[in-house]
Amino acid sequence: MTLLRLRYLILITGLTLAFPAVAQKPAVKEYRVRVVTKEGIRLRGILDEVTDTHLRIAYTSPRYYQQDEWIPLTAIRKVVVRRTNKAAWRITGAIVGSAVAALVANESLQKKRTGNPITYIVTLTMASVGGATTGLILSGVLVNLSRRVIRPLDSSNPAINLQRQLEPFSIHYQQNARNPLPGRVNK
């Protein structure tokens, strides 16, 4: 197999595994939030719903006895939003790392030939495993660093401003966007 064919094979395989099928409906993404109120109270949980006046956080931990918490938007100083499901990013990082390491190892092995085909296969496999591990670790670190801090920008009407910024991250909003009411036109 030529080097060019091997590169295309690895690239197509990596892209096929890294990105979900286009025909599938996208899953509802959960976002973990940390809310800091003006009084200094800190609340954590999953962003469930944003209304005109309140933000609802659903707790997933069994140590909380409450089912959910309603927080007035006017009492919020800032909200830190992070993605809950990080598995897709880690898998993509592992696939890309494996493909890059295999291509680099193949280039190196083409320049300096080994006498034994088994050594070639073992070296290529070990480089691919090392690249997958490195890609997994790096993508895990990068996805943990990705967070969004949302603060009320308009001091005259902070509730509307926070609602507009936080609404796309809520589970309720995403479910309504996926399953619109009959007769409603999506734009």
Side-chain angles (χ1 to χ4, degrees):
M1 187 181 304
T2 65
L3 180 63
L4 188 60
R5 286 184 182 170
L6 181 64
R7 284 182 185 168
Y8 284 129
L9 179 66
I10 291 173
L11 180 69
I12 290 172
T13 304
L15 289 176
T16 304
L17 295 174
F19 299 108
V22 178
Q24 295 178 352
K25 283 188 175 181
V28 174
K29 298 173 188 161
E30 288 184 348
Y31 291 93
R32 185 169 299 282
V33 293
R34 185 180 74 218
V35 178
V36 180
T37 63
K38 292 178 181 174
E39 292 85 29
I41 300 171
R42 297 176 187 268
L43 302 164
R44 295 174 189 245
I46 304 294
L47 182 59
D48 192 32
E49 183 179 0
V50 180
T51 65
D52 294 341
T53 57
H54 287 79
L55 170 112
R56 184 168 69 177
I57 296 177
Y59 292 110
T60 57
S61 176
R63 74 177 197 195
Y64 294 109
Y65 61 89
Q66 302 164 329
Q67 290 292 342
D68 52 10
E69 182 95 24
W70 287 93
I71 305 162
L73 291 176
T74 55
I76 295 175
R77 184 173 67 196
K78 75 175 180 177
V79 179
V80 180
V81 180
R82 291 186 183 179
R83 183 173 285 206
T84 301
N85 187 2
K86 303 170 187 171
W89 290 98
R90 290 182 177 154
I91 291 171
T92 302
I95 290 170
V96 169
S98 174
V100 168
L103 286 174
V104 169
N106 190 29
E107 283 285 329
S108 176
L109 289 173
Q110 292 296 325
K111 291 179 184 174
K112 184 181 177 187
R113 299 233 178 233
T114 59
N116 192 351
I118 295 175
T119 306
Y120 176 81
I121 292 171
V122 169
T123 305
L124 197 60
T125 304
M126 295 305 286
S128 179
V129 168
T133 305
T134 304
L136 179 73
I137 292 170
L138 287 177
S139 64
V141 168
L142 290 175
V143 80
N144 282 336
L145 293 176
S146 65
R147 64 186 175 118
R148 187 170 183 176
V149 179
I150 298 174
R151 294 188 169 132
L153 299 174
D154 186 13
S155 60
S156 64
N157 200 350
I160 292 175
N161 189 283
L162 274 175
Q163 180 196 8
R164 289 180 183 162
Q165 290 183 60
L166 290 171
E167 199 171 31
F169 297 108
S170 71
I171 294 172
H172 186 70
Y173 177 82
Q174 292 179 38
Q175 287 174 344
N176 286 344
R178 284 183 62 202
N179 303 319
L181 296 173
R184 190 174 117 191
V185 178
N186 279 346
K187 292 186 180 186

